């Protein structure tokens, strides 16, 4: 974490297609993260909200230079992505948020809800949180113009 706290940009893995602990810790530190993110799920399952709404900047080996050049040249963009990353991390990874979500999933499944219905409720909660005043969330609503393109 010491190195991540000093970094202007953190690069996680560029092959696997999911983020890991390095990305989670860096997001919590408010650092912009670059990682290979593949939001599609196997067998036509719905996309994970924690991937589709992530402020992590997508890059693989073929595009890492371009993404790093763009971020390196724009301090305001790095700051905005970092703020969105912190808000995202607090929503998805903070211990109380995780415990509440676990309780909600357990209760929902016990009451007969499908995993998809529970996921949709969590997605709605995330989008509503991002609509709040930036002073409350520490970030603005995600801007698709600022996020790098993810593969489809």
């Amino acid at each position: 974490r010491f190195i991540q706290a000093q970094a202007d940009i953190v690069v996680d893995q560029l092959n696997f297609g999911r983020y890991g602990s390095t990305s989670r810790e860096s997001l919590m530190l408010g650092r912009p993260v670059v990682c290979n993110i593949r939001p599609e799920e196997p067998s036509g399952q719905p996309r994970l909200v924690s991937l589709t709404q992530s402020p992590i900047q997508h890059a693989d080996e073929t595009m890492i230079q371009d993404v790093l050049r763009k971020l390196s040249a724009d301090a305001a963009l790095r700051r905005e992505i970092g703020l969105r990353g912190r808000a995202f991390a607090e929503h998805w990874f903070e211990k109380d948020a995780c415990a509440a979500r676990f309780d909600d999933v357990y209760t929902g499944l016990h009451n007969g809800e499908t995993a998809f219905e529970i996921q949709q409720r969590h997605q709605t909660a995330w989008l509503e949180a991002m609509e709040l005043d930036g002073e409350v969330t520490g970030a603005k609503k995600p801007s698709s113009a600022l996020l790098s393109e993810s593969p489809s």
Side-chain angles (χ1 to χ4, degrees):
R1 189 179 317 168
F2 177 73
I3 293 172
Q4 293 162 323
Q6 298 177 63
D8 290 328
I9 303 166
V10 175
V11 178
D12 199 350
Q13 61 76 31
L14 300 175
N15 295 301
F16 183 61
R18 292 289 195 265
Y19 57 82
S21 60
T22 298
S23 289
R24 288 191 306 268
E25 291 172 4
S26 300
L27 290 167
M28 196 58 100
L29 290 168
R31 300 296 181 254
V33 175
V34 179
C35 182
N36 184 359
I37 298 293
R38 293 187 191 128
E40 53 283 326
E41 292 297 315
S43 305
Q45 296 175 7
R47 291 180 171 187
L48 294 174
V49 177
S50 60
L51 291 177
T52 60
Q53 299 297 320
S54 171
I56 294 174
Q57 302 299 287
H58 171 72
D60 58 24
E61 300 93 350
T62 65
M63 55 195 287
I64 185 67
Q65 280 185 309
D66 294 334
V67 172
L68 288 176
R69 281 188 182 123
K70 178 182 174 184
L71 290 172
S72 296
D74 193 338
L77 178 61
R78 289 193 311 272
R79 182 173 172 1
E80 181 175 339
I81 292 170
L83 289 172
R84 287 196 334 253
R86 174 65 187 202
F88 177 84
E90 288 174 349
H91 178 82
W92 288 104
F93 311 133
E94 194 268 328
K95 65 180 170 60
D96 291 335
C98 286
R101 201 165 41 257
F102 177 80
D103 183 56
D104 183 51
V105 168
Y106 182 80
T107 302
L109 291 173
H110 186 270
N111 291 334
E113 284 185 278
T114 67
F116 180 74
E117 291 168 332
I118 297 167
Q119 178 186 4
Q120 291 301 108
R121 188 169 59 252
H122 292 170
Q123 178 173 358
T124 300
W126 164 246
L127 293 174
E128 287 172 355
M130 293 308 290
E131 290 288 338
L132 295 175
D133 186 344
E135 185 178 323
V136 175
T137 63
K140 297 178 187 175
K141 179 180 175 186
S143 167
S144 58
L146 294 175
L147 296 175
S148 57
E149 294 295 319
S150 295
S152 52

